[in-house]
Amino acid sequence: MTTPSDTSVGTGFLDVGDLRDPPMPGHFTGTPVELEARLALRANGCVTVVIGGVERVPLWPDGTDVVEETTDPRRYVVSLPGGLRLTVDTGRADTFVARGVVDGSSRPFEVEPGLPTAISSFLAFCKIVAQPVAFPDAASFTVPKP
């Protein structure tokens, strides 16, 4: 799990690198497909995405940064490699299209039974029931024209 150096700017987030350390074989094995998503913000500070009406925890491309930009109102900025910035707050949320993979495995995100990983800990913190979604390629992100 990636966390900002200044803990006052957010609760952290996941990126696809979290699947490699420790290795999480069997997860996100499908072929990436184009997904339309809208950012969402939970009261606990988790920045999530809504795809087809289902809220999911995203694993952002490596090099992404998610920070709390303001606290009143709470506004978070997702900065992707290449310069694209997406924002979400209590009143509005950006929509984007990107190639992603919804995890098709129901196996827990753990290396040893009962030993949590950064991914399993973050999923438990965010309290999202649906399987997470991984966005491995920052270059696939676009923002639809209004």
Side-chain angles (χ1 to χ4, degrees), residues 87-138:
T87 61
V88 61
D89 60 37
T90 55
R92 71 173 284 291
D94 283 341
T95 299
F96 64 90
V97 175
R99 295 187 61 77
V101 178
V102 173
D103 191 21
S105 175
S106 60
R107 295 176 19 199
F109 285 93
E110 54 188 32
V111 178
E112 296 178 31
L115 183 61
T117 61
I119 294 176
S120 64
S121 296
F122 194 77
L123 292 174
F125 174 76
C126 289
K127 295 181 170 76
I128 303 292
V129 176
Q131 291 297 89
V133 59
F135 297 105
D137 183 9

Side-chain angles (χ1 to χ4, degrees), residues 41-52:
L41 179 60
R42 296 181 68 85
N44 63 4
C46 286
V47 174
T48 61
V49 295
V50 177
I51 300 169

Side-chain angles (χ1 to χ4, degrees), residues 35-40 49-51 60 80 84-88 92-98 141-146:
L35 300 169
E36 183 173 338
R38 178 182 46 80
L39 291 178
V49 295
V50 177
I51 300 169
W60 298 106
L80 295 153
L84 182 63
R85 288 173 41 102
L86 304 167
T87 61
V88 61
R92 71 173 284 291
D94 283 341
T95 299
F96 64 90
V97 175
F141 279 73
T142 60
V143 175
K145 302 275 187 219

Side-chain angles (χ1 to χ4, degrees), residues 11-37:
T11 58
F13 59 98
L14 297 171
D15 61 35
V16 294
D18 292 315
L19 294 169
R20 296 185 294 270
D21 186 22
M24 295 285 146
H27 288 281
F28 302 101
T29 57
T31 302
V33 296
E34 190 170 273
L35 300 169
E36 183 173 338

Side-chain angles (χ1 to χ4, degrees), residues 43-78:
N44 63 4
C46 286
V47 174
T48 61
V49 295
V50 177
I51 300 169
V54 178
E55 186 177 23
R56 301 180 184 281
V57 170
L59 279 75
W60 298 106
D62 290 336
T64 299
D65 196 23
V66 180
V67 296
E68 185 174 13
E69 189 175 70
T70 64
T71 57
D72 187 26
R74 294 180 83 179
R75 181 174 53 238
Y76 285 78
V77 176
V78 178

